[in-house]
Amino acid sequence: QVQLVESGGGSVQAGGSLRLSCVGSGYYLSSYSMGWFRQAPGEEREGVAAIDSDGRTYYADSVKGRFTISKDKAKDTLYLQMSSLKPEDSALYYCAADYHKSPQYGGSWLGSNEYVYWGQGTQVTVSS
């Protein structure tokens, strides 16, 4: 059974940085596409960044140049390095994983409906 556990969230002032981690078990990280999503209260879940099984990365326009997604295959860990954080980045951040080689719906790995497995989330709060 695939399990995903996020960590690294916290409170930070605007302009600061955080690195989120997502440790996976029950699957081979290198063969899965993975993504980071976030959801603020009253908002829909949105895709932030994704990395497919071939290592290609995808970013939401709102985080390009500030966030970097990466994975450490040896540690079965997905990361999201977040820099120049803004108050509007505050949300519950989730990691997700899927075993398909290409998106099945909508054509983008930033779509939440592309993922089968989800973590419980880690909270990020950015104060101004």
Side-chain angles (χ1 to χ4, degrees), residues 5-12 16-23 36 67 77-83 85 89 91-95 120-126:
V5 179
E6 304 96 333
S7 64
S11 297
V12 64
S17 300
L18 283 174
R19 188 177 78 159
L20 305 183
S21 300
C22 173
V23 178
W36 285 100
F67 291 11
T77 301
L78 179 73
Y79 299 102
L80 184 68
Q81 178 67 48
M82 306 186 294
S83 303
L85 284 162
D89 294 319
L92 188 60
Y93 282 71
Y94 300 89
C95 72
Q120 294 299 306
T122 185
Q123 180 68 41
V124 172
T125 303
V126 185

Side-chain angles (χ1 to χ4, degrees), residues 23-122:
V23 178
S25 61
Y27 69 109
Y28 292 107
L29 180 65
S30 61
S31 63
Y32 276 56
S33 294
M34 300 191 72
W36 285 100
F37 291 78
R38 66 187 181 188
Q39 188 168 20
E43 303 287 334
E44 292 188 356
R45 188 172 298 188
E46 66 168 336
V48 175
I51 184 166
D52 66 20
S53 57
D54 292 324
R56 289 182 291 254
T57 57
Y58 310 85
Y59 295 94
D61 288 342
S62 59
V63 305
K64 280 181 182 177
R66 300 189 299 122
F67 291 11
T68 303
I69 189 171
S70 62
K71 57 183 176 181
D72 185 330
K73 298 175 184 179
K75 297 181 179 180
D76 283 333
T77 301
L78 179 73
Y79 299 102
L80 184 68
Q81 178 67 48
M82 306 186 294
S83 303
S84 302
L85 284 162
K86 305 175 181 180
E88 51 264 42
D89 294 319
S90 297
L92 188 60
Y93 282 71
Y94 300 89
C95 72
D98 190 81
Y99 51 82
H100 289 100
K101 287 297 184 182
S102 59
Q104 300 297 296
Y105 316 96
S108 169
W109 282 118
L110 292 177
S112 61
N113 58 352
E114 300 292 349
Y115 295 88
V116 176
Y117 304 106
W118 291 85
Q120 294 299 306
T122 185

